[in-house]
Amino acid sequence: MAAAAIRSKCSTVGERSSNPTNTHLNSTTTSFKKPLFGFRYNTDRIWGKLSLQGGGRINRVAVVERGKVKRWGLVRCTAEGIERGMLGGRGQESNFVMPERLKVVALMACVMCLCNADRVVMSVAVVPLAAKHGWNTSFLGIVQSSFLWGYILSSVIGGALVDKYGGKRVIAWGVFLWSLATFVTPWAANHSTMSLLAARAFFGLAEGVAMPSMNIILSRWFPCNERATAVGLSMGGFHLGNVVGLVLTPIVMSSIGLTGPFILFSSLGLLWLTMWTLRITNDPQESRSISNSELRLIQEGKSNATPLKKGEFPPLRLLLSKMPTWAIIFANMTNNWGYFVLLSWMPVYFKTVFNVNLKQAAWFSAVPWGTMAFSGYVAGAASDYLIKAGYSLTFVRKVMQSIGFIGPGLALLCLNYAKSPAVASVFITVALSLSSFSQAGFLLNMQDIAPKYAGFLHGISNSAGTLAAIISTIGTGYFVQWLGSFQAFLTVTAGLYFVTAIFWNLFATGERVF
């Protein structure tokens, strides 16, 4: 090997051998200034390249003295950098190198946190807005639901755009537009109620692209055995957005005024957009800062899916003709049904069942969201561990989704027998924490069965899930008013979890279908 090719430090980690056959070797002569093993001879070093999975190079070296091979060893070269895992490795001159894919998932977690925090701002600000403009309770429900009007429409369109143009560009436009809608919301409310509803619907329309974009970007930047952890980290940011919005909004409103939180969160969106545009590429192959070893690791561990051609549309009829697609759709609907029931009605549940004031009820309801962020990461790490251990994708997806449905179903049944708000909060925490295992189930399964149409499939299932969320949120109120208690509706929701878990295990698969 030429001297120019040996620029990095190499450390011998090998063993003795006397058989240099069947190795492709080049030789150079190196003269040592100091004795080697007590001798002062010119030493021929013979190098042969061996591959190292996950990056870097390991070279085999033979030390020849007086025409005889004295020792064989393995020499590790770090010129290209070695990335052994998501958290980094040793790069050139043994310096720590942060993998590019870790930067991607960090920015993705931040934008998912911002995505959910922007939703929560209105949930808090609607109280002083109602007092200022004289809105009644029924109109408050319309204002809160106006976000979903746009959201249910953009999921399918956004998913198709992500498949065609990639996640980077689509989510960048989404963040810009929803930050703009967040900024103008208080002024729209002062102008007219129709302006406010239009701003909120536009806000939901822009946010509908977030989930499909996240799914596609992470599938391109992470090998299969790391993707669940990446999704767990990103969704952890999403769940923490509830906490961030609930904590910061009252503080900023008391310091700056009603418009303060809207200005703050829209500014954070534009700041994130600047970093995202400058530092992240749509595909790791387009990145100028990624090392060759990390790029090989990603390429070798992911499914290859060519983007849609110009003028090509996702085959809706074909997608809906297969049962694994319906398994994902029903799983998304059930997941959103239970999620929004707990999100929207738990403060009222604590007030109605245990006569807890609304301020205390908000604290009891907020505790589970922090634990849900952590449990989502645990689910992802456990899923990746099982895949690395050799279990099939089908087995792993079914196990994760079964935990994500059977666990919350049992917790909701137990909630019917809670005798104190503290015990009820524990069961709700268990329900939400275990439901986050769905992130390593149906949410990842879209990329498994249809990598080329994953964004569009995500949009279809997300629209169905949003419809289920609207029905469950409205239906809970009518159900409780009709029967006079939450117990029956919680039992219905638990039964829905169990039925969908059975359907999932019968028809879901981790194999590629489309």
Side-chain angles (χ1 to χ4, degrees):
M1 179 182 291
I6 314 173
R7 292 199 257 273
S8 61
K9 296 180 181 180
C10 298
S11 57
T12 302
V13 293
E15 70 251 1
R16 297 179 178 275
S17 173
S18 59
N19 183 17
T21 60
N22 299 326
T23 308
H24 300 285
L25 305 171
N26 295 317
S27 64
T28 60
T29 300
T30 304
S31 179
F32 286 85
K33 294 181 180 180
K34 294 183 179 181
L36 179 65
F37 309 121
F39 298 95
R40 291 181 179 270
Y41 296 112
N42 289 342
T43 305
D44 292 329
R45 286 196 170 185
I46 305 174
W47 304 81
K49 292 184 181 179
L50 296 177
S51 62
L52 171 65
Q53 184 177 2
R57 290 196 304 260
I58 289 183
N59 296 318
R60 189 166 175 82
V61 59
V63 179
V64 182
E65 297 173 3
R66 294 187 175 182
K68 296 182 179 180
V69 176
K70 303 295 291 183
R71 186 170 71 89
W72 276 92
L74 295 179
V75 177
R76 188 185 309 277
C77 293
T78 59
E80 294 182 8
I82 297 174
E83 280 80 13
R84 290 184 176 273
M86 193 188 302
L87 297 180
R90 294 290 179 180
Q92 193 170 9
E93 297 182 356
S94 297
N95 293 326
F96 178 80
V97 177
M98 178 180 289
E100 286 299 306
R101 63 193 188 281
L102 183 58
K103 300 174 186 177
V104 172
V105 77
L107 283 174
M108 186 57 64
C110 288
V111 77
M112 296 307 292
C113 178
L114 185 64
C115 175
N116 218 16
D118 281 351
R119 301 183 192 182
V120 175
V121 172
M122 192 60 185
S123 299
V124 179
V126 74
V127 178
L129 281 173
K132 180 179 180 180
H133 298 286
W135 298 337
N136 57 32
T137 305
S138 60
F139 185 73
L140 286 182
I142 295 175
V143 171
Q144 294 285 53
S145 65
S146 59
F147 159 80
L148 295 172
W149 303 349
Y151 190 79
I152 194 172
L153 295 175
S154 65
S155 294
V156 176
I157 299 173
L161 290 175
V162 168
D163 287 332
K164 192 172 184 64
Y165 298 107
K168 178 189 175 180
R169 188 185 306 179
V170 174
I171 197 171
W173 275 105
V175 172
F176 173 76
L177 293 176
W178 89 54
S179 297
L180 179 63
T182 301
F183 182 79
V184 303
T185 295
W187 285 274
N190 288 331
H191 185 267
S192 67
T193 55
M194 290 303 298
S195 298
L196 174 62
L197 295 178
R200 293 301 294 169
F202 184 75
F203 172 77
L205 192 69
E207 280 210 345
V209 305
M211 288 288 187
S213 297
M214 178 200 74
N215 210 358
I216 293 298
I217 289 170
L218 296 183
S219 70
R220 292 186 177 180
W221 270 94
F222 285 85
C224 185
N225 59 7
E226 291 182 358
R227 202 187 311 148
T229 302
V231 170
L233 290 170
S234 299
M235 291 302 295
F238 181 80
H239 300 312
L240 287 177
N242 283 321
V243 180
V244 171
L246 289 172
V247 171
L248 288 184
T249 300
I251 296 175
V252 177
M253 284 176 59
S254 62
S255 303
I256 301 177
L258 183 60
T259 60
F262 295 95
I263 296 174
L264 171 64
F265 286 105
S266 60
S267 300
L268 291 176
L270 296 178
L271 176 63
W272 178 90
L273 184 59
T274 302
M275 299 176 62
W276 178 261
T277 304
L278 294 177
R279 297 193 61 88
I280 303 302
T281 59
N282 204 44
D283 191 278
Q285 291 183 347
E286 302 168 2
S287 176
R288 295 182 178 180
S289 54
I290 192 172
S291 67
N292 291 334
S293 54
E294 184 181 7
L295 181 59
R296 286 198 300 270
L297 185 147
I298 295 172
Q299 298 274 15
E300 292 171 2
K302 70 176 186 179
S303 58
N304 295 319
T306 56
L308 294 178
K309 299 178 182 178
K310 186 176 181 180
E312 182 183 2
F313 294 95
L316 178 60
R317 180 176 297 180
L318 175 63
L319 289 172
L320 296 181
S321 66
K322 304 296 183 180
M323 292 307 294
T325 300
W326 287 104
I328 291 174
I329 292 174
F330 288 144
N332 202 330
M333 293 179 68
T334 300
N335 182 73
N336 278 18
W337 177 288
Y339 181 90
F340 279 92
V341 165
L342 296 175
L343 177 65
S344 304
W345 285 99
M346 282 306 99
V348 180
Y349 167 82
F350 282 108
K351 177 68 173 65
T352 304
V353 177
F354 299 107
N355 198 28
V356 177
N357 65 60
L358 288 178
K359 186 175 181 179
Q360 291 175 318
W363 279 104
F364 278 118
S365 303
V367 170
W369 301 110
T371 60
M372 190 177 186
F374 174 74
S375 63
Y377 169 76
V378 172
S383 176
D384 287 339
Y385 174 81
L386 291 175
I387 293 173
K388 291 176 183 178
Y391 291 94
S392 69
L393 276 178
T394 299
F395 174 80
V396 174
R397 298 291 182 251
K398 288 185 176 182
V399 168
M400 294 296 115
Q401 193 58 64
S402 296
I403 296 173
F405 279 167
I406 296 175
L410 293 174
L412 291 183
L413 290 180
C414 294
L415 183 61
N416 287 325
Y417 301 96
K419 301 300 182 182
S420 69
V423 174
S425 183
V426 169
F427 286 130
I428 294 173
T429 299
V430 171
L432 285 174
S433 297
L434 294 180
S435 71
S436 64
F437 277 71
S438 294
Q439 297 167 190
F442 80 87
L443 193 59
L444 285 171
N445 192 232
M446 303 172 194
Q447 188 67 33
D448 297 331
I449 70 168
K452 187 175 182 179
Y453 310 113
F456 185 65
L457 180 55
H458 195 136
I460 296 172
S461 64
N462 211 32
S463 293
T466 303
L467 180 61
I470 295 173
I471 294 173
S472 68
T473 303
I474 297 174
T476 302
Y478 284 101
F479 214 92
V480 172
Q481 183 177 353
W482 176 37
L483 296 177
S485 74
F486 281 89
Q487 185 171 356
F489 196 78
L490 292 175
T491 303
V492 169
T493 303
L496 186 61
Y497 274 126
F498 297 145
V499 171
T500 311
I502 295 172
F503 189 88
W504 175 267
N505 280 281
L506 288 176
F507 298 109
T509 179
E511 304 299 323
R512 182 168 181 172
V513 179
F514 306 101

